[in-house]
Amino acid sequence: MEPEPAADSRMKILLVDDTPENLVSLEAALVGLGEDLVMAQSGREALRHLLNDDFAAVLLDVRMPEMDGFETAELIRSRPRSRQIPILFLTGYRNEEHLFRGYDLGAVDFLFKPIVPEVLRSKVAVFVELSRSNAKLRKQADALRKQAEDLHRVEQEVRRLNTSLEARVLERTEELVRSNEELQQFAYIASHDLREPLRTVSIYAQLLAKRYQGRLDGDADQFITFIVQNAERMETLVHDLLDFSRIDVRGMDFFARTSCDSALDDAVGNIRPLVAESGALITRDPLPCVMGDAVQLTRLFQNLLVNSIKYRSSDVPRILVSSRENAEEYLISVKDNGIGIDPQYAEKIFGIFRVLQPRDRSSGSGMGLAICRKIVTRHAGRIWVESALGQGATFYWTIPKKG
Ligand code: ADP
């Protein structure tokens, strides 16, 4: 490791001269810099200091007994810790040989005796400043290196988490697909197999009502009525559940270029009595041709229209069917002026058997919108409602342009 002085603290300067008076005058010249001045009276003593401390610069007298300045410089340069320290030689000789030897040993400058204090101070100040900037740069470089290392760790961790997340998502998706298929199968089998015994219960309950109405006591008559009503209700539920589970069973053979206008025509035709009885006014924009299952698109429009009429307010139902498009998909909307839906239920109503009205206000089983969602999803689209209580409701659904 290279010596690394602290960037913001005082820097150390090593003054080396065998004559104590010279050291005193060097100190006097440099004390104004506000740095730490360390003094040594021999090369050996200087090397001892350099072993333990980092210095911003060394001022080295050339002529010293035992080990002169050049020998000392050689040893300073040979040690890794002090290799980079700037050395300023202090000498009385101006001959060239002398200078070359000094520069060869890595001197950064020569100061000739008698030393001029201002010159000494300004030169040393430059080296101290350089050393301080150097320390700052090193500190920043270290911090950057550390950040890069930390990032690399973090990166590894993110990669690891991503991989395990992907694996988990895949696993969950497979599980969901499996359980969805099982559920689908269960719904189909249950509703299909339940129809028969249910039909029998219903027929016998009606028979009971026909034959024994008024011949048993009042309670018995009421019980029979309950049985008949509930058997009918259950038949509707089972029928709708079967319908729901059949949506995905229809193969892709039923997909073809389909006119949404015709699908809407058929839907309106199917519910003509309801439209007539309610006086509903249906307005419509031209609708697009899409790739889809015509029977199911008719069913989709039909369910939405029936709801718009069923959940009407005291006003005559007014329904607007329109269409917009962007580059990828068509957006079709069915807007009504009915009772509206509290936004907190905007998602719930698309669930199986979800109804918001008390039973007596709604004859439905709560499957209508679940069927709508299944149809739209099967066509790779989305369906949602925008509404507020008392403000009417607008149902939107999308369908991709290239099917
Ligand atoms: P159902 O009509 O058989 O009850 P749906 O699945 O078609 O079942 O609708 C679920 C619930 O959403 C309804 O019970 C009703 O409360 C609410 N709803 C659906 N369409 C509308 C609408 N156009 N306006 C107001 N509420 C609606």
Side-chain angles (χ1 to χ4, degrees), residues 313-387:
S313 63
S314 48
D315 288 345
V316 170
R318 275 191 302 278
I319 304 165
L320 171 66
V321 183
S322 27
S323 154
R324 272 183 278 161
E325 65 186 283
N326 64 23
E328 282 92 38
E329 57 188 15
Y330 294 107
L331 173 71
I332 293 165
S333 56
V334 177
K335 178 180 163 70
D336 66 45
N337 61 338
I339 58 173
I341 298 162
D342 187 331
Q344 64 171 312
Y345 301 119
E347 191 47 39
K348 242 187 190 160
I349 53 171
F350 291 96
I352 296 175
F353 296 138
R354 289 301 183 136
V355 298
L356 300 183
Q357 315 305 320
R359 288 267 175 248
D360 53 333
R361 279 215 59 183
S362 153
S363 55
S365 63
M367 283 301 276
L369 289 176
I371 288 175
C372 288
R373 173 158 280 176
K374 212 170 182 95
I375 292 173
V376 172
T377 306
R378 184 167 177 250
H379 286 76
R382 290 158 286 128
I383 182 168
W384 70 96
V385 67
E386 284 172 17
S387 181

Side-chain angles (χ1 to χ4, degrees), residues 165-203:
L165 200 68
E166 273 166 25
R168 274 171 52 200
V169 167
L170 207 69
E171 212 173 277
R172 287 287 295 148
T173 311
E174 278 168 8
E175 257 171 45
L176 280 175
V177 168
R178 214 177 315 125
S179 69
N180 201 25
E181 278 167 5
E182 278 165 14
L183 206 69
Q184 193 99 5
Q185 230 169 351
F186 170 77
Y188 182 78
I189 293 168
S191 46
H192 188 263
D193 293 357
L194 279 176
R195 286 187 97 184
E196 201 43 49
L198 200 59
R199 193 79 222 114
T200 313
V201 171
S202 192
I203 287 168

